[in-house]
Amino acid sequence: MSLANHLEELQRKHGDIERELDMAMNHPSVDGLEIATLKRRKLAIKDEIVKLKAEATTH
């Protein structure tokens, strides 16, 4: 998988988690642990995106 394709896939996943997080936060039966888990997953993907972009600009 090329770097560009990998970044696209990560950005798509980030957007999917963002939408899932928005729905969870607006649903009263979702517990705080699930929201925290989604936030951690979203942050991990964002960190990976930033890391890959930084590596791409240094190579």
Side-chain angles (χ1 to χ4, degrees), residues 37-54:
T37 301
L38 288 169
K39 286 182 178 183
R40 277 193 297 277
R41 286 178 47 210
K42 182 180 164 196
L43 181 58
I45 290 172
K46 182 68 172 180
D47 288 346
E48 188 172 351
I49 290 169
V50 169
K51 178 183 167 195
L52 288 174
K53 285 183 177 181

Side-chain angles (χ1 to χ4, degrees), residues 1-52:
M1 180 182 297
S2 73
L3 178 61
N5 288 344
H6 188 58
L7 283 170
E8 278 183 29
E9 181 66 18
L10 288 173
Q11 289 170 338
R12 184 193 61 76
K13 286 181 182 180
H14 187 267
D16 290 347
I17 292 173
E18 177 74 28
R19 285 183 287 283
E20 191 177 345
L21 183 58
D22 287 343
M23 288 190 308
M25 291 178 74
N26 290 322
H27 200 278
S29 67
V30 177
D31 65 1
L33 181 59
E34 184 175 344
I35 290 173
T37 301
L38 288 169
K39 286 182 178 183
R40 277 193 297 277
R41 286 178 47 210
K42 182 180 164 196
L43 181 58
I45 290 172
K46 182 68 172 180
D47 288 346
E48 188 172 351
I49 290 169
V50 169
K51 178 183 167 195
L52 288 174

